[in-house]
Amino acid sequence: MKKQFIAGNWKMNLTLEEARGLARKLCDGLAGFDAVDVGVFPSFVYLKDVCDIFSDSNVFVGAQNMSMEQCGAFTGEVSGAMLRDIGCTHVIIGHSERRTIYQETNSMINSKLKASLLNNLNPILCVGERQEERDADKTREVVEDQLSGGLLNLTSEEVKGLTIAYEPVWAIGTGKTATPEQANEVHAFIRNTMRSKYDDDTAQSIRIQYGGSVNAGNAKELLGQPEIDGALVGGASLDPNSFLDIVSDAASFS
Ligand code: 13P
């Protein structure tokens, strides 16, 4: 089995003091621990403080979004080089909230993925269908389209070691989780799609996280599925005890 990867997407939450406090608790709780890869994704404005807190730890720190551009007159944007400069190693790209609220297209996501790789950041590419798409039996079609568009012109070298997060939109922040079987089925589809786009080696090197209402009560069952290599956790990642419980559940499968 692959080393699991548990990531906490803090979204637009917390004060600076709360973000620092959460980071310190996680840093203490995870000292010397490396059975599972762990990453946290605070708001841009807290990244530097959080990077500093985790600077001597195994915990990755990343951004929730980045610019597709390198530098220049792009007011309000944050570049990959800037993220790298303050100590980030990872970045979430194509989260469904970016796709739906901020109209990010597959083509924009593709440009952002390329910009992240150019700046030596490890992207987590998010994919997932909406409720109406699942109801219309279009899950595979939607996910396939997000993968094809998002990964356009990326070589197997570039996608090797990539993290993909399968986050069904209907499960995000709703308390409605995909069943472990439902999630595993889409994960297997993602793995197969990567195998046919690239090759078996590349497909096997990719970690596929599940995201959508993951919490300390349901993580173990989800993470125990053969195609689930970790979790992208929203709400439950704001509580250090819940997040650490999820990490220790993952450790039993690494
Ligand atoms: P919740 O865990 O709050 O449902 O959020 C999932 C998510 O969007 C992580 O990126």
Side-chain angles (χ1 to χ4, degrees), residues 9 11 92 95 97 167 171-174 211-214 232-236:
N9 176 4
K11 305 194 181 182
I92 296 173
H95 191 280
E97 286 147 20
E167 299 203 302
I172 296 179
T174 57
S213 298
V214 175
L232 182 52
V233 186

Side-chain angles (χ1 to χ4, degrees), residues 5 7 9-10 13-14 39 48 52 56 65 67 71 75 98 106 108-109 118 120 157 170 183 235 239 247 250:
F5 180 12
N9 176 4
W10 296 357
N13 290 301
L14 309 174
K48 176 72 171 76
D52 288 349
D56 290 325
N65 179 32
S67 173
C71 65
T75 301
R98 306 273 344 148
N106 284 330
M108 290 160 76
I109 289 161
L118 206 62
N120 289 319
E157 263 333 289
W170 48 271
D239 172 29
V247 171

Side-chain angles (χ1 to χ4, degrees), residues 27-192:
C27 199
D28 291 347
L30 293 165
F33 177 87
D34 75 345
V36 172
D37 282 334
V38 180
V40 295
F41 295 76
S43 144
F44 280 131
V45 293
Y46 303 150
L47 278 171
K48 176 72 171 76
D49 286 74
V50 173
C51 279
D52 288 349
I53 290 169
F54 286 113
S55 62
D56 290 325
S57 81
N58 294 323
V59 176
F60 307 138
V61 182
Q64 300 168 14
N65 179 32
M66 66 176 282
S67 173
M68 66 179 85
E69 307 291 347
Q70 294 308 305
C71 65
F74 301 101
T75 301
E77 292 289 281
V78 176
S79 73
M82 291 170 179
L83 295 176
R84 207 56 245 190
D85 195 21
I86 58 158
C88 289
T89 53
H90 286 66
V91 60
I92 296 173
I93 294 190
H95 191 280
S96 70
E97 286 147 20
R98 306 273 344 148
R99 291 177 188 264
T100 55
I101 308 171
Y102 302 102
Q103 282 83 44
E104 284 194 12
T105 61
N106 284 330
S107 145
M108 290 160 76
I109 289 161
N110 179 243
S111 300
K112 290 184 178 199
L113 268 180
K114 288 177 179 162
S116 71
L117 295 168
L118 206 62
N119 288 288
N120 289 319
L121 290 164
N122 299 288
I124 298 180
L125 168 64
C126 301
V127 298
E129 81 287 2
R130 292 197 290 259
Q131 182 71 65
E132 58 271 27
E133 294 164 335
R134 175 162 280 264
D135 293 345
D137 211 12
K138 289 198 165 145
T139 299
R140 288 170 181 237
E141 198 181 309
V142 169
V143 169
E144 147 96 74
D145 193 52
Q146 290 169 336
L147 290 173
S148 296
L151 299 171
L152 192 71
N153 295 327
L154 291 181
T155 65
S156 63
E157 263 333 289
E158 289 171 314
V159 302
K160 221 165 230 157
L162 179 76
T163 304
I164 296 176
Y166 169 57
E167 299 203 302
V169 180
W170 48 271
I172 296 179
T174 57
K176 212 158 86 173
T177 337
T179 64
E181 295 72 26
Q182 274 175 329
N184 194 62
E185 192 188 319
V186 182
H187 282 226
F189 173 74
I190 293 172
R191 184 98 53 209
N192 282 332

